[in-house]
């Protein structure tokens, strides 16, 4: 997907007329450019602050040299570069298809034959990489682009020659967790065998729709990569056999890339491929059609005319015989469509009749088949309304609905806001479908949701692909899968933030030696909360004594007894409500009488019921405020009037987030595009009832701050003790 050029973008780079942005990262911007021959290119331009660093320029020069040494039809070729330019740049052939990550997220796993063709051709690309004396080091779904005639391996930015000294720091892990080899996870040098392991991970993902070592926190991914066996459930027997060889822990046991290509060879020639399912072929065709429908070239700072007036943005190679009063299709856009028509038509023909046209574009730059009409202003909600977390989902939906209704009741409202709600039932497959449904509605400006971590992660790619701002109220993981979300905002302190206030509170209560029990049955929330709690205790001078129990461990009482024998004066436990309740009962049978902290994901009525009297005195540090607290009292009154009942936990937070979105929509001064709305949300600061919402400059989707609220179990219920201070 492309984005419009900004006024500060260059007009040309190295003979390429820039047409749009393809993406931006911490070190540079990738543009869609067109050479004088009409050939499209992905042009990577490095930011000046990095170009001025000698070490970085050396690394970039190495990247260019590495990419030029790879000769394979299945690796995207370099078509131009200048590592010594004031703003160093690298141009590679442009592939309009989606990445493998996008295709699997949108269309599901590839069929067995598609996986084998993918593996064969990528193995040939890696053979070329290794024959050139290089190691790619980051083979992952996001670095594989799909086209009708086969895949393309991209991004040699961290590839390096096997005989060279690495420019990265000692102990640095290079690659993408979940798609790197055990030796890389241990921060050891990568080899061609490491690329083969990553290829095995990638093909397992293509076959099943999930990484073989799961998702979640980086530390957990690295641990599973080194110690656990891959999850190959759902992989066909013939594919499983060679994947197990590729995923061997010992690099010497893995086949070389050339052998992988031979293992996967069949009777199909590389020139006669029919390997992608229809849904993916249509996605490839749609991407090509979207390229044809590029917006008019935006005037940039470097397009200024000599007289100081902005130029019309028309590239110099537009034919001089185009009439000045010709319709728009005869100008720059029409010419780009003409130049691209041949290649795109072939892709569309392969797509089984997908339509090729671009008569109108929505205000966020995406093609639309609908005739012009009055646009609705729609706010989406994706939540678990009927599944295992329906109480939480229903509370959030009510909070958002109340905010929308209050706004629509204003006499001075500049527009009327419509609410569209989709129930994902807490199921990841349904969550992905729900996200695709909401994202496909061009009137939806933003979506609040989903309720849980798994459903939120399953939704990210669909919203990202359509540039939809997604704001989660209650999902607090530090990572989702392997991709960095680009249009996502986490409006809740993360599981790794909450232990900060809990650790300081334990110190204030006199604790100097704290036992930390991390139950892996609690999945990512338990791991992130427990591990970060242990780290924070050390930072503030408290001795932490951690224990990690497996998900299937049964005798938790023995673990508790062993931990208490070390005489701690504080106790922290994370896990599921039922298993933490078992720990609470076991702890109550000992002589321990210090403060006890329960990780908030396990706090709920289930813990109180299962723990009984043993729950008394346990403390919870949670990101949600009590519905009866003074800051949200007016909201609670309005909620009771609207729904006939007081609000539940998490309703006030959802109300806050909805009001923040509405405020940004009003401030936009007109209907914003989805990207514009995301930028307003990500860069702004909003003072809500519960907390102040502002987001991290580097990790743009992380909420700043540690606003946490303390509860203590008294009389069989969670008693609100106010805001906890770090």
């Amino acid at each position: 997907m492309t984005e419009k050029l900004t006024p500060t973008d260059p007009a040309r780079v190295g003979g390429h007329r820039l047409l749009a942005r393809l993406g931006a990262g911490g070190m540079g911007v990738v543009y869609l450019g067109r050479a004088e021959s009409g050939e499209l290119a992905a042009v990577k331009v490095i930011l000046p602050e990095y170009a001025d660093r000698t070490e970085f320029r050396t690394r970039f020069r190495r990247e260019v040299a590495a990419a030029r040494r790879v000769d394979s039809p299945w690796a995207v070729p370099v078509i131009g570069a200048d590592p010594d330019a004031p703003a160093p740049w690298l141009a590679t052939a442009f592939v309009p298809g989606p990445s493998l990550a996008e295709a699997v997220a949108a269309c599901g796993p590839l069929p067995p034959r598609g996986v084998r063709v993918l593996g064969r051709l990528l193995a040939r690309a890696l053979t070329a990489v290794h024959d050139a004396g290089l190691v790619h080091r980051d083979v992952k779904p996001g670095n594989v682009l799909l086209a009708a005639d086969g895949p393309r391996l991209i991004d040699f930015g961290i590839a390096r020659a096997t005989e060279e000294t690495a420019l990265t720091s000692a102990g640095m892990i290079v690659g993408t967790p979940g798609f790197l080899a055990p030796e890389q996870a241990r921060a050891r040098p990568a080899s061609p065998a490491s690329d083969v392991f990553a290829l095995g991970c990638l093909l397992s993902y293509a076959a099943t729709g999930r990484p073989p070592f799961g998702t979640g926190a980086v530390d957990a991914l690295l641990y599973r990569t080194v110690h656990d066996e891959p999850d190959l459930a759902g992989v066909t027997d013939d594919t499983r056999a060679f994947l197990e060889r590729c995923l061997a822990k010992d690099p010497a046991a893995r086949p070389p890339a050339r052998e992988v290509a031979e293992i996967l060879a069949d009777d199909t020639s590389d020139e006669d491929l029919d390997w992608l399912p229809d849904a993916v072929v249509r996605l490839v065709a749609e991407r090509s059609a979207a390229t044809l429908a590029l917006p008019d070239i935006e005037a940039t700072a470097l397009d200024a005319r000599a007289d100081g007036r902005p130029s019309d943005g028309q590239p110099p190679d537009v034919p001089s015989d185009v009439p000045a009063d010709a319709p728009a299709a005869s100008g720059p856009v029409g010419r780009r469509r003409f130049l691209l028509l041949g290649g795109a038509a072939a892709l569309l023909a392969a797509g089984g009749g997908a339509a090729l046209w671009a008569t109108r574009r929505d205000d966020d730059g995406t093609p639309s088949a609908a005739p012009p009409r009055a646009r609705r202003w729609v706010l989406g909600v994706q939540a678990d309304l009927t599944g295992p977390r329906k109480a939480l989902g229903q509370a959030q939906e009510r909070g958002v609905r109340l905010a929308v209704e209050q706004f629509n009741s204003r006499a001075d409202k500049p527009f009327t806001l419509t609410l569209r709600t989709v129930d994902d039932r807490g199921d990841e497959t349904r969550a992905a479908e729900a996200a695709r449904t909401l994202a496909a509605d061009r009137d939806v400006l933003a979506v609040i949701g989903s309720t849980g971590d798994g459903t939120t992660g399953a939704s990210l790619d669909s919203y990202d692909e359509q540039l939809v701002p997604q704001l989660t109220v209650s999902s607090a993981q530090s990572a989702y899968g392997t991709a960095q979300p680009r249009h996502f905002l986490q409006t809740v302190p993360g599981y790794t933030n909450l232990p900060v206030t809990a650790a300081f509170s334990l110190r204030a209560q006199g604790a100097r030696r704290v036992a930390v029990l991390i139950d892996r049955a609690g999945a990512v929330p338990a791991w992130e909360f427990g591990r970060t709690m242990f780290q924070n205790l050390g930072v503030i001078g408290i001795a932490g004594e951690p224990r990690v129990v497996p998900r299937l461990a049964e005798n938790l009482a023995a673990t508790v007894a062993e931990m208490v024998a070390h005489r701690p004066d504080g106790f922290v436990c994370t896990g599921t409500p039922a298993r933490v309740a078992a720990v609470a009962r076991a702890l109550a049978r000992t002589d321990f009488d210090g403060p006890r902290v329960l990780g908030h994901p396990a706090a709920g009525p289930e813990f109180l019921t299962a723990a009984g009297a043993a729950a008394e005195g346990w403390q919870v540090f949670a990101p949600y405020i009590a519905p009866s607290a003074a800051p949200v009292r007016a909201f609670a009154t309005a909620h009771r009037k609207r729904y006939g009942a007081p609000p539940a936990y998490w309703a006030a937070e959802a109300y806050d987030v909805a009001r923040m979105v509405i405020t940004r929509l009003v401030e936009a001064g007109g209907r914003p595009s989805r990207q514009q709305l995301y930028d307003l949300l990500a860069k702004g600061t909003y003072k809500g009832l519960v907390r102040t919402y502002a987001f991290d400059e580097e990790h743009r989707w992380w909420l700043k701050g540690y606003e946490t609220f303390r509860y203590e179990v008294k009389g069989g219920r969670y008693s609100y003790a106010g805001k906890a201070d770090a």
Side-chain angles (χ1 to χ4, degrees):
M1 303 299 288
T2 62
E3 300 175 6
K4 293 182 178 181
L5 297 173
T6 68
T8 59
D9 285 325
R12 288 182 173 275
V13 170
H16 295 85
R17 182 62 168 91
L18 303 188
L19 308 178
R21 280 182 167 224
L22 293 175
M27 295 185 178
V29 181
V30 181
Y31 298 98
L32 176 61
R34 187 188 66 212
E36 294 182 0
S37 64
E39 183 180 19
L40 289 179
V43 184
K44 177 180 180 180
V45 181
I46 301 302
L47 295 174
E49 54 264 38
Y50 293 100
D52 290 342
R53 300 178 186 177
T54 302
E55 180 181 314
F56 185 87
R57 193 176 284 272
T58 300
R59 183 182 292 115
F60 187 74
R61 190 177 293 111
R62 186 191 68 193
E63 173 185 346
V64 172
R68 280 176 161 158
R69 287 159 63 179
V70 178
D71 182 14
S72 169
W74 314 118
V76 174
V78 173
I79 58 177
D82 188 353
D84 299 311
W89 60 272
L90 169 69
T92 58
F94 175 66
V95 180
S99 69
L100 176 63
E102 293 173 297
V104 171
C107 307
L110 298 184
R113 182 175 179 277
V115 173
R116 294 180 70 83
V117 172
L118 176 70
R120 182 182 85 215
L121 301 183
L122 289 181
R124 290 182 179 174
L126 285 176
T127 298
V129 171
H130 300 160
D131 285 350
L134 302 172
V135 182
H136 188 284
R137 300 202 294 172
D138 198 22
V139 179
K140 62 181 180 181
N143 278 342
V144 174
L145 300 180
L146 303 183
D149 63 343
R152 303 292 192 276
L153 181 64
I154 65 170
D155 197 356
F156 294 85
I158 59 174
R160 73 176 179 91
T162 54
E163 73 276 6
E164 289 177 351
T165 301
L167 291 176
T168 49
S169 301
M172 177 181 291
I173 295 175
V174 179
T176 301
F179 294 93
L180 47 70
E183 57 270 23
Q184 291 173 280
R186 295 176 182 269
R188 294 173 181 170
S191 68
S194 306
D195 285 345
V196 171
F197 188 96
L199 178 62
C201 293
L202 179 146
L203 295 177
S204 174
Y205 172 83
T208 65
R210 62 183 185 277
F213 298 100
T215 61
V218 171
D219 287 343
L221 278 173
L222 298 178
Y223 179 90
R224 291 195 292 268
T225 299
V226 173
H227 299 286
D228 293 355
E229 292 303 313
D231 176 11
L232 299 179
V235 177
T236 58
D237 291 341
D238 57 340
T239 304
R240 177 191 294 268
F242 87 86
L243 281 184
E244 288 176 342
R245 291 186 62 198
C246 293
L247 295 173
K249 303 296 185 188
D250 181 4
R254 301 169 202 152
R258 192 183 307 278
E259 183 179 337
V260 173
E262 294 170 354
I263 293 172
L264 297 177
D266 59 20
D267 296 332
T268 304
S269 71
D270 292 350
E271 291 75 30
D272 183 25
L273 292 179
D274 181 16
W275 67 294
L276 291 174
D278 289 345
V280 178
V281 174
R282 284 193 292 271
L283 184 59
V284 172
E286 289 166 3
R287 286 297 174 85
S288 187
T291 303
L292 296 180
L294 287 170
D296 291 334
I297 296 175
E298 298 296 312
T300 70
L302 298 186
D303 273 326
R305 291 158 49 134
D307 58 6
R309 291 182 292 132
S311 77
D312 58 7
Q314 179 168 295
D317 58 347
V318 173
S320 59
D321 58 350
V322 175
D325 58 351
S330 298
V333 175
R335 177 164 173 79
R336 285 198 298 278
R337 291 176 183 164
F338 175 78
L339 288 169
L340 291 166
L341 184 57
L347 291 174
L348 291 167
L356 173 60
W357 58 269
T359 57
R360 188 176 70 84
R361 299 185 64 80
D362 285 332
D363 59 1
D364 58 359
T366 55
S368 172
R373 60 177 174 83
R375 300 293 300 278
R376 298 178 303 154
W377 296 60
V378 180
L379 178 60
V381 172
Q382 179 184 335
D384 177 2
L385 301 177
T386 57
R389 305 190 76 188
K390 63 182 180 182
L392 192 159
Q394 291 170 1
Q396 292 183 3
E397 194 274 344
R398 284 187 170 188
V400 174
R401 186 172 297 279
L402 182 57
V404 170
E405 290 177 352
Q406 288 179 344
F407 171 76
N408 286 339
S409 68
R410 288 171 40 184
D412 63 341
K413 63 181 181 296
F415 53 84
T416 298
L417 192 58
T418 301
L419 191 65
R420 183 177 179 187
T421 301
V422 178
D423 179 11
D424 62 27
R425 300 183 187 177
D427 177 79
E428 293 184 21
T429 300
R430 289 185 61 88
E433 295 172 356
R436 287 194 290 270
T437 297
L438 284 173
D441 184 345
R442 306 312 306 167
D443 290 341
V444 173
L445 290 163
V447 172
I448 297 176
S450 176
T451 307
D453 295 325
T455 51
T456 297
S459 308
L460 284 174
D461 286 341
S462 294
Y463 290 128
D464 249 359
E465 184 177 340
Q466 299 297 331
L467 312 182
V468 180
Q470 178 187 5
L471 303 92
T472 179
V473 175
S474 50
S475 178
Q477 288 186 179
S478 63
Y480 296 84
T482 58
Q484 179 80 324
R486 296 169 297 164
H487 298 89
F488 176 62
L489 294 174
Q490 198 176 64
T491 68
V492 57
Y495 300 128
T496 57
N497 291 50
L498 296 169
V500 174
T501 51
F504 276 99
S505 179
L506 283 170
R507 188 174 70 174
Q509 295 175 66
R512 293 296 178 266
R513 179 185 296 274
V514 176
V516 182
L517 194 158
I518 305 171
D519 185 355
R520 294 302 292 267
V524 172
W527 173 259
E528 291 193 349
F529 185 95
R531 183 178 182 278
T532 313
M533 170 63 79
F534 169 68
Q535 292 174 331
N536 279 294
L537 290 171
V539 169
I540 63 175
I542 296 178
E545 297 188 352
R547 297 290 187 280
V548 179
V549 296
R551 180 173 57 88
L552 299 178
E554 296 181 356
N555 191 3
L556 296 177
T559 301
V560 170
E562 187 270 332
M563 297 177 76
V564 171
H566 288 80
R567 313 309 300 175
D569 50 19
F571 199 101
V572 176
C573 186
T574 70
T576 65
R579 287 168 66 91
V580 177
V583 169
R585 294 194 302 270
L587 193 62
R589 294 193 291 268
T590 70
D591 61 356
F592 178 82
D593 61 357
R596 290 146 286 171
V597 172
L598 164 68
H600 88 269
E606 301 92 340
F607 170 75
L608 297 177
T609 301
E616 288 295 304
W618 279 81
Q619 301 173 52
V620 178
F621 294 83
Y624 46 80
I625 197 170
S628 59
V632 295
R633 196 162 293 157
F635 160 73
T637 300
H639 188 284
R640 188 178 291 105
K641 180 178 179 181
R642 169 63 175 85
Y643 298 109
Y649 293 115
W650 291 109
E653 286 74 21
Y655 176 80
D656 255 2
V657 173
R659 282 165 43 111
M660 176 174 65
V661 174
I662 294 170
T663 298
R664 297 295 178 245
L665 287 172
V666 173
E667 291 174 349
R671 184 188 180 90
S673 70
R674 290 168 168 179
Q675 182 64 53
Q676 289 168 339
L677 176 57
Y678 176 78
D679 289 339
L680 289 171
L681 290 164
K683 296 176 182 178
T685 298
Y686 177 76
K687 176 65 176 176
L689 301 178
V690 178
R691 58 173 50 90
T692 297
Y693 297 85
F695 300 92
D696 188 84
E697 289 83 1
E698 181 179 0
H699 302 285
R700 199 171 179 185
W701 53 280
W702 287 357
L703 182 72
K704 289 182 179 179
Y706 303 90
E707 288 95 340
T708 307
F709 306 96
R710 191 172 74 87
Y711 298 80
E712 185 173 344
V713 179
K714 293 181 179 179
R717 66 182 185 88
Y718 296 105
S719 176
Y720 181 60
K723 187 174 181 180
D725 296 321

